[in-house]
Amino acid sequence: MSVRITDKANGALLGHLSPEDFAFLAGQLEEESSRDTDYFINRDTVDMLEAAGGSAALVGLLRTAVGASEGIDIAWENP
């Protein structure tokens, strides 16, 4: 089952991640609490994830989501 990734601000679907890609993402980033379901992602974060071995699918999804912006809050849902 894939993990649904959305733009937290407007709920727009950004894409889906494999369970392995999501586990990698969650392992690399800090959660504010055990009930946290979002991350702030910017270009530096994407570069860090790529350097740490993030898959092309993960890095591509996040690069597209951030685009030219200063960053984006992403949310996730496990179906």
Side-chain angles (χ1 to χ4, degrees):
M1 291 237 131
S2 63
V3 179
R4 186 174 190 262
I5 304 296
T6 59
D7 180 333
K8 186 176 178 186
N10 61 22
L13 178 66
L14 299 173
H16 293 86
L17 293 176
S18 70
E20 296 80 15
D21 280 344
F22 182 73
F24 175 82
L25 176 68
Q28 295 294 313
L29 301 178
E30 183 176 324
E31 294 179 359
E32 294 174 6
S33 76
S34 62
R35 288 179 265 142
D36 197 14
T37 59
D38 66 335
Y39 292 121
F40 179 76
I41 305 291
N42 61 24
R43 281 173 260 158
D44 290 338
T45 306
V46 178
D47 290 344
M48 181 271 302
L49 292 167
E50 184 175 40
S55 74
L58 170 64
V59 170
L61 184 146
L62 296 177
R63 277 200 202 290
T64 299
V66 172
S69 74
E70 294 293 318
I72 184 173
D73 282 308
I74 64 166
W76 66 84
E77 298 175 16
N78 276 322

